[in-house]
Amino acid sequence: MKEIKQSFPIRGMRCASCVKVTERALKKVPGVTDAVVNLATERATVTFDTENCTSQQLANSVATTGYTLELEDQNEEELKAEKEKDLSQLRSKVFISLLLGALILWGSFPGIMSTAPVFLQNFWIQLLLATPVQFWAGAEFYRTAIAALKHRTSNMDTLVALGTTVAYFYSLFVTVFPEIPMKLGMEAMPSFDVSAIVIGLVLLGRYLETRAKTGTSEAIKKLVGLQAKTARVVRNGKDIDIPIEQVQVGDVIRVRPGEKIPVDGVVFEGDSSIDESMISGESIPVDKTKGDTVIGSTINKSGTFTYKAMKIGSETMLAQIIKLVQEAQGSKAPIQKLADAVSSYFVPIVIMLSFTTFGIWYIFGPQPAFLFAMLNTVAVLIIACPCAMGLATPTAIMVGTGIGAEKGILIRDAESLETANKINTVVFDKTGTLTHGKPDVTDVVSLGKVKESKILRIAASIEKGSEHSLAEAIVKKAEEEELELEKVTKFKAIAGHGVEGTVGKDKVYFGNRRLMEREKVDYQTANELLSKYENEGKTVMLLAVNGKLIGLVGVADTVKETAKAGVKALQKRGIDVVMITGDNHRTADAIAQKLGINRVLAEVLPDQKEAEVRKIQATGAKVAMVGDGINDAPALAAADIGIAMGSGTDVAIEAADITLINKDLKSVSSAIELSKKTMRTIKMNLFWAFGYNVVLIPVAMGVLYPFSGILLNPIFASVAMALSSVSVVSNSLLLKRVNV
Amino acid sequence: MELDKIFVGLFSIGGIVFTYWFFLMRKDEEAVVVSTNSVDIAVDGGYSPRVISIPKGKKTTINFFRRDSSTCLEEVVLPEFKIRKYLPLNRKVSIVVNPKESGSYEFACGMNMFHGKIVVE
């Protein structure tokens, strides 16, 4: 017994009685131990035994009540169990087919047949061994081929069914009527080994391919697996564990150390350190305190805290990431167009080539012409592999987008992944992207004997009453250094100059040059320092106490820790890096110099950024624009690739082609690297898939025979065919080893 | 040339012509017009119906039901809608689409061998 609890969306319910009816219908299904239906969330949480009950049975039972139980959110475990069951059946078919095929081969293949027991050399025994392989193990080829023929379509199963049927029925004919080929001067030699071993090997290829393919969608499974199952909600002062589907917006949730945060929200009480690596790829835990946002599925490392649920269900960040990755994996890369065009005509063309092969070998080939014609026709049908072409692009896209998601790089679709490969210019928005976007105190300088800490304390005390953005930075710095602020009286803000007030008994002025000039404070001794800091792009505030200048405080928007390395990584790739900002040239140049950026577009108003991007594109460059995803939306959309720096749950993933939820600027280069590696894999896959068919189909037709006597045995053809799609999928999986 | 060779030659040419006619000269099926907000598509050696017509700007649920055990058909891909779904055998899988623009949208199996079409009007 394997009992699981699963939630399903229910459609069509209107009232409480609908809930009762649906619950009753669910509980009636054998294997169901509990069913709770929630009208508000329109979901049913069902506890059932997967060995005695399937989701489909639940859906059927609900359907009898007139409502619909959606099976879109299929239980991963159930699907996995089903896939495992299918694979196990396939494994048995492979084993039995190859075993029976090997026995037939032993009894019929020239050179080794003399070592085989006599009964294995008997054609009737060979027929007995080949028949279950043909019609039991090979049944699915027939089923699909016949169903496809009804639609006048074809696929690989059509080719395998045709090829093995020709070999099997020829052999059957030779076994039943050996005198007929002998009268025609042919040896009565059946080819049951071909039909049986080809089926065994094609199934083996399919088995290996299916195993390998599960690896391509691992990223989604990992993301889905991150979801918490329950939440500890505080209700009426008590902690209650409820299924995550029943959490409502506004619920207060308690999280203890080591536990998973169930849904997105804002910390209500307490503080802790949270491991967000599963979402952002960033390995260092993030400290959270009251008012900070927390992301569902991340792990609470140290303290106990409560938080208010703000986003649930499909609104959570994890749900959005899963949706985005799923969408990217469902999209189609432009490079796939050629493979699409070829695969539409591929199977009919191979069938036409097989007729050609048969005719040419029978009419012009050596004796026994019929046998040559038949075996070469079978080889052509078997060796052709349309699957490799169909798998070449999507498997690599699936692995590539999955790796991206694991590293905090969300790629919107396959086309974005392909375009990122061609980027040769990256335009960074300055404020909020390369810099933190908020001013920070960078320098506190004493111009006399007064200590720096006292200068900061006086400055912060007087700025406490100011609403200026710079004041906030100074007060924050003082708080960080745990300085005790003093009481200020007679505070006054002087627009465009600074502030004044009395601290203790001292008259204090804190502001720019103009304020000092107005109050006739001599600041000539600080002139040199002032110019130096201003040339570095900093805003400098002068502090005068009782008419005497005692110090200055430098404030600037600081660059992000990863900015310099991010820019350098791109430049190392030969990518032109441009910085765009609304700041004046002096400030912009100072930041650019710090980051090693040579091309700066300063004093660009927000609505002009898009035009600047288009100007760069007009020079023939392929441009990626990196911004915050909201304010830069037009410029992001205008660029060939828009890269948004996502932050917390406000991630604006819809606006960008690529979203960096890890906030690491080095990831811009990583995204381009990932794109290049994925495209290289796709090109290798396509080259292999096309090359394989272009080279081996003519070989199977016998084009080498007139020059070298080389012919392709259908058994070898089936080995090559089985390996072709496996090799393509395996090559895509090799992408996982890529270090981006 | 001996009679059997003439016969085989004619058989081969006939086979080529028949294959071309049967697979490549197939006329597009008439679209099944979806008047309600859902449509069932059987997945068995292809898609039946192969062509569906749905209204623009309206949510339509497409229920795929795979009866074919071939791994070829185990996934359905609707690239324009960025959807790739695994279709478990003998089970309904619903996909909701809400096309904003008129046109023809292809869907195919994971290996792009079997095709269907959604006509949005």
Side-chain angles (χ1 to χ4, degrees):
Chain A
M1 181 161 152
K2 198 175 177 192
E3 198 169 83
I4 60 160
K5 190 183 265 189
Q6 198 190 340
S7 169
F8 302 92
I10 304 279
R11 303 275 168 257
M13 294 190 300
R14 296 273 177 276
C15 58
S17 68
C18 309
V19 171
K20 288 285 157 217
V21 171
T22 314
E23 277 182 353
R24 240 193 332 263
L26 285 167
K27 284 177 182 167
K28 241 173 30 191
V29 180
V32 173
T33 48
D34 192 25
V36 179
V37 177
N38 185 323
L39 183 64
T41 55
E42 290 187 281
R43 296 189 80 94
T45 305
V46 189
T47 310
F48 64 103
D49 175 12
T50 52
E51 283 170 16
N52 293 317
C53 171
T54 65
S55 313
Q56 189 62 49
Q57 282 172 291
L58 301 177
N60 294 344
S61 181
V62 172
T64 60
T65 63
Y67 310 114
T68 312
L69 181 144
E70 300 275 345
L71 289 177
E72 279 174 88
D73 303 345
Q74 267 147 3
N75 173 12
E76 277 298 316
E77 277 179 48
E78 219 182 344
L79 281 185
K80 200 176 156 195
E82 262 180 44
K83 280 187 180 177
E84 276 301 321
K85 200 173 143 195
D86 290 346
L87 265 180
S88 149
Q89 279 176 355
L90 189 54
R91 201 167 41 225
S92 311
K93 285 182 182 175
V94 170
F95 178 75
I96 293 168
S97 315
L98 288 179
L99 179 72
L100 296 180
L103 290 175
I104 302 169
L105 188 75
W106 190 18
S108 61
F109 201 76
I112 56 168
M113 62 188 286
S114 55
T115 64
V118 179
F119 77 95
L120 283 181
Q121 295 174 35
N122 184 308
F123 296 164
W124 288 96
I125 296 292
Q126 289 176 8
L127 169 67
L128 202 68
L129 296 175
T131 302
V133 179
Q134 191 69 32
F135 299 109
W136 168 71
E140 69 176 87
F141 298 122
Y142 284 115
R143 224 171 3 240
T144 304
I146 291 166
L149 286 177
K150 284 182 194 163
H151 296 278
R152 291 176 72 171
T153 54
S154 53
N155 76 332
M156 204 192 82
D157 291 350
T158 317
L159 298 176
V160 177
L162 264 176
T164 57
T165 304
V166 168
Y168 177 84
F169 280 100
Y170 165 78
S171 307
L172 178 67
F173 180 80
V174 169
T175 305
V176 179
F177 308 107
E179 65 285 355
I180 298 179
M182 284 162 88
K183 269 185 203 164
L184 294 169
M186 283 165 56
E187 192 185 355
M189 180 57 83
S191 299
F192 288 120
D193 53 340
V194 170
S195 64
I197 289 187
V198 164
I199 285 176
L201 287 172
V202 173
L203 289 175
L204 175 66
R206 192 161 285 187
Y207 173 76
L208 295 174
E209 177 195 308
T210 309
R211 289 286 304 254
K213 258 165 62 187
T214 53
T216 62
S217 55
E218 235 168 37
I220 286 282
K221 283 179 206 146
K222 272 191 200 165
L223 285 170
V224 171
L226 288 177
Q227 280 167 332
K229 303 273 186 286
T230 58
R232 185 178 298 114
V233 178
V234 183
R235 282 185 188 158
N236 303 322
K238 282 184 183 167
D239 291 358
I240 317 164
D241 282 342
I242 57 169
I244 192 155
E245 297 80 15
Q246 292 176 15
V247 175
Q248 306 279 328
V249 171
D251 273 344
V252 175
I253 300 168
R254 192 183 307 281
V255 188
R256 292 186 185 138
E259 288 181 347
K260 206 175 260 189
I261 294 168
V263 294
D264 297 358
V266 175
V267 177
F268 189 60
E269 199 176 24
D271 43 31
S272 183
S273 165
I274 292 171
D275 176 5
E276 295 186 343
S277 60
M278 55 294 292
I279 295 288
S280 66
E282 173 60 55
S283 57
I284 302 164
V286 188
D287 290 336
K288 303 276 179 176
T289 186
K290 189 177 176 178
D292 286 343
T293 53
V294 288
I295 305 167
S297 81
T298 56
I299 291 173
N300 179 26
K301 299 288 278 186
S302 47
T304 297
F305 67 94
T306 54
Y307 77 100
K308 200 175 256 186
M310 303 301 281
K311 286 179 179 173
I312 56 167
S314 61
E315 298 296 311
T316 63
M317 187 159 177
L318 179 68
Q320 285 186 56
I321 292 172
I322 292 171
K323 183 171 168 257
L324 192 85
V325 178
Q326 277 175 334
E327 284 183 355
Q329 298 190 338
S331 64
K332 200 175 264 192
I335 197 171
Q336 202 179 331
K337 276 183 190 152
L338 178 65
D340 282 358
V342 173
S343 57
S344 306
Y345 301 101
F346 187 82
V347 175
I349 287 173
V350 170
I351 297 173
M352 288 192 261
L353 287 175
S354 71
F355 277 115
T356 310
T357 306
F358 188 80
I360 289 174
W361 275 93
Y362 189 85
I363 296 165
F364 304 108
Q367 287 303 325
F370 185 84
L371 198 62
F372 273 117
M374 193 269 297
L375 289 176
N376 290 333
T377 300
V378 173
V380 170
L381 289 169
I382 297 303
I383 202 153
C385 186
C387 298
M389 281 187 286
L391 292 168
T393 311
T395 51
I397 296 285
M398 285 173 84
V399 177
T401 50
I403 294 170
E406 281 172 18
K407 310 264 179 193
I409 303 167
L410 298 183
I411 298 155
R412 190 164 64 171
D413 51 28
E415 191 173 351
S416 305
L417 189 65
E418 185 172 336
T419 312
N421 164 54
K422 297 169 193 155
I423 294 301
N424 54 21
T425 305
V426 174
V427 180
F428 282 100
D429 172 52
K430 193 209 96 184
T431 310
T433 304
L434 287 171
T435 66
H436 288 106
K438 278 191 283 186
D440 269 321
V441 172
T442 54
D443 306 271
V444 178
V445 180
S446 169
L447 298 168
K449 288 179 183 167
V450 184
K451 280 185 180 172
E452 274 91 3
S453 60
K454 189 171 181 189
I455 287 171
L456 181 61
R457 185 158 59 96
I458 298 171
S461 300
I462 198 159
E463 284 285 28
K464 181 91 177 164
S466 171
E467 287 173 355
H468 199 278
S469 63
L470 299 180
E472 199 185 319
I474 293 167
V475 174
K476 192 177 128 214
K477 179 76 175 172
E479 281 171 359
E480 277 170 13
E481 299 201 356
E482 294 175 355
L483 299 175
E484 203 172 309
L485 301 190
E486 293 178 57
K487 198 177 170 197
V488 178
T489 53
K490 295 177 188 167
F491 172 82
K492 194 177 160 194
I494 310 154
H497 291 73
V499 290
E500 64 168 79
T502 303
V503 178
K505 289 178 185 167
D506 299 326
K507 183 71 187 166
V508 176
Y509 289 96
F510 186 56
N512 56 19
R513 279 192 181 95
R514 269 183 289 171
L515 180 68
M516 297 301 126
E517 280 161 10
R518 202 181 91 152
E519 299 303 326
K520 298 191 173 54
V521 176
D522 180 15
Y523 64 89
Q524 295 310 314
T525 48
N527 246 343
E528 203 179 317
L529 211 52
L530 268 168
S531 303
K532 179 181 170 269
Y533 286 155
E534 282 170 353
N535 284 335
E536 287 172 8
K538 295 169 184 168
T539 304
V540 188
M541 316 271 279
L542 301 146
L543 181 69
V545 176
N546 297 328
K548 196 183 167 209
L549 186 71
I550 62 160
L552 48 90
V553 177
V555 178
D557 185 5
T558 50
V559 296
K560 286 184 181 168
E561 297 71 26
T562 56
K564 196 170 181 181
V567 169
K568 205 173 168 189
L570 289 167
Q571 287 168 336
K572 220 169 146 188
R573 300 188 156 278
I575 290 171
D576 197 9
V577 178
V578 182
M579 187 178 88
I580 195 164
T581 177
D583 289 356
N584 62 47
H585 281 279
R586 195 167 63 178
T587 310
D589 288 342
I591 297 280
Q593 204 180 354
K594 245 183 220 171
L595 297 172
I597 298 174
N598 302 321
R599 222 170 134 192
V600 179
L601 302 170
E603 293 173 18
V604 180
L605 295 172
D607 57 351
Q608 293 170 347
K609 285 183 184 171
E610 180 192 346
E612 290 296 333
V613 167
R614 291 198 192 280
K615 266 190 217 166
I616 301 171
Q617 283 173 317
T619 62
K622 283 271 176 198
V623 180
M625 168 78 200
V626 189
D628 61 15
I630 303 156
N631 301 328
D632 306 317
L636 290 177
D640 297 287
I641 287 290
I643 302 178
M645 303 296 292
S647 62
T649 47
D650 294 325
V651 55
I653 48 184
E654 288 299 323
D657 299 304
I658 295 174
T659 305
L660 305 179
I661 40 174
N662 59 18
K663 296 180 231 169
D664 184 346
L665 285 156
K666 295 194 291 291
S667 295
V668 176
S669 172
S670 303
I672 293 172
E673 171 76 0
L674 180 62
S675 162
K676 284 191 186 296
K677 292 272 162 65
T678 309
M679 291 315 294
R680 199 184 67 182
T681 301
I682 291 174
K683 284 175 189 166
M684 275 167 69
N685 283 351
L686 287 173
F687 177 79
W688 169 242
F690 278 112
Y692 162 86
N693 285 299
V694 167
V695 172
L696 290 185
I697 292 177
V699 173
M701 290 175 77
V703 291
L704 295 180
Y705 186 79
F707 317 105
S708 58
I710 292 176
L711 277 179
L712 197 63
N713 185 303
I715 291 176
F716 293 122
S718 63
V719 172
M721 201 281 261
L723 289 177
S724 67
S725 39
V726 176
S727 61
V728 162
V729 180
S730 305
N731 192 37
S732 295
L733 287 174
L734 283 180
L735 259 176
K736 286 187 179 181
R737 293 190 184 175
V738 167
N739 195 14
V740 291
Chain B
M1 193 185 277
E2 297 109 273
L3 197 62
D4 60 328
K5 289 187 176 178
I6 293 170
F7 174 75
V8 167
L10 288 173
F11 168 77
S12 299
I13 292 166
I16 292 167
V17 172
F18 175 78
T19 306
Y20 186 85
W21 168 81
F22 189 78
F23 292 113
L24 301 178
M25 288 181 70
R26 182 189 54 172
K27 278 191 190 142
D28 233 356
E29 263 174 42
E30 205 160 297
V32 171
V33 179
V34 182
S35 49
T36 58
N37 52 8
S38 80
V39 58
D40 293 341
I41 294 183
V43 183
D44 191 6
Y47 300 101
S48 185
R50 209 169 57 82
V51 188
I52 57 167
S53 170
I54 64 173
K56 185 173 81 172
K58 198 177 154 195
K59 271 189 185 174
T60 305
T61 305
I62 306 173
N63 302 311
F64 287 92
F65 195 89
R66 177 161 79 99
R67 285 196 290 256
D68 191 323
S69 59
S70 163
T71 50
C72 225
L73 283 157
E74 71 181 13
E75 274 184 330
V76 65
V77 185
L78 290 78
E80 276 87 0
F81 298 98
K82 294 184 180 175
I83 294 170
R84 174 184 288 271
K85 273 270 185 190
Y86 176 70
L87 306 178
L89 196 59
N90 297 322
R91 189 181 290 185
K92 187 177 86 174
V93 173
S94 301
I95 290 174
V96 180
V97 292
N98 188 1
K100 305 280 183 224
E101 283 173 30
S102 306
S104 180
Y105 301 87
E106 289 252 337
F107 58 91
C109 68
M111 290 179 192
N112 199 37
M113 296 305 301
F114 294 105
H115 299 91
K117 202 189 282 177
I118 302 169
V119 180
V120 179
E121 286 166 338

